[in-house]
Amino acid sequence: MTKKYVLFWLLPIVLLIALYPIVTDNFLVRENIFLMLSYIVFASSMNIIMGYTGYVSFGHIVFYGIGSYVGILLINNLHVHFVIAVLCAALVAGVIALLIGEAVLRLRGAIFAIATIGINEAVKSLVANVDSLGGAVGIFMDFSVYDSYGGPDKALWIAYYAMVILTVLTILVSYFVRNSKLGLGLLAIREDEDTALVVGINTKRFKSIAYFLSAIFPAMAGTIFAFKSGNIVPDDAFHIVKSVEMIFINVFGGLGTVSGPVLGAIIYEKLKDYLLTNPTLKDLHLAVSGVTLLLIVIFAPSGIVGWFRERFKVVRGVLE
């Protein structure tokens, strides 16, 4: 049932949301939707390694940072076209994920999570201390680069369209992984990795593929962000809070589901926007998010999607 219906409502909702700022030509709405779409990309990609495989990566933002730097260097310094830069960032991040995975994917549980934090902080420190990468100040785009894209204003829309396409692509990959032999293998690893190995699943290869897929989408989003903002700074590119947000969205929406990260991202962006613009709560948005996560873990450990599926059988065929 899930294979037949979940995308029939999920993708139209995402596309309708993405269409709204295009129809209204409202740049403020566009910025909010752009951020919402990026959350969907981050959460859905992390869900492949965290939700399907059971490996919690607190340092997953490292791939976003790598993609940001690869993209801005190619676009700004080598004058590579934006689309090519996005694809190159994905390739570089994917290769690095495979190399890192050879070491960290041998670890499990809290040790794996701590190792990913260490990798993120190590890469952040390395980038911040390399002068050719801008050091701690970062890299600023030469605005003449935007001339070939019709100017900065059109470049903003190009970045928006690219994020829309990337969001749809991420959801589709998450869906097809979930409903494939690879997905079944990853779910078996999540439930009991030792048993999965005994029954003949190549756990090392499956985990490497999942880690690779979960890395390329944040990297592409990183290049899109760098192109859009015109600069990149180590503290922002490798900010550990962004990884925590990915985890929050997945747990909130429903780990191991296709729709959970999407619904979680939409709700989280609206919640965060309300908290940050509320004079009373603007300094407490992280605390409110933490309390919300605690309540979800206590009263709905399977997230929003899991809560509805457990109580309303009628939605099981379309909500997964």
Side-chain angles (χ1 to χ4, degrees), residues 221-281:
T223 297
I224 295 171
F225 262 97
F227 177 77
K228 174 180 177 293
S229 62
N231 72 291
I232 192 68
V233 181
D235 286 341
D236 290 334
F238 301 96
H239 204 311
I240 199 72
V241 171
K242 292 180 181 178
S243 289
V244 176
E245 286 181 323
M246 294 185 208
I247 296 171
F248 174 89
I249 291 171
N250 273 292
V251 175
F252 182 65
L255 275 172
T257 65
V258 177
S259 56
V262 179
L263 297 178
I266 293 171
I267 296 172
Y268 176 74
E269 192 281 330
K270 300 306 296 181
L271 174 64
K272 184 177 180 180
D273 181 60
Y274 170 76
L275 293 175
L276 289 177
T277 56
N278 187 296
T280 306
L281 301 173

Side-chain angles (χ1 to χ4, degrees), residues 180-191:
S180 66
K181 290 183 179 180
L182 172 62
L184 291 176
L186 296 178
L187 293 174
I189 292 171
R190 184 188 68 182
E191 296 304 317

Side-chain angles (χ1 to χ4, degrees), residues 22 34 64 87 91 113 120 136 147 163 204 218 259 262 275-276 279:
I22 299 174
F34 181 89
Y64 166 83
L87 297 177
L91 178 61
N120 181 68
D147 293 341
M163 187 61 75
K204 179 181 178 182
S259 56
V262 179
L275 293 175
L276 289 177

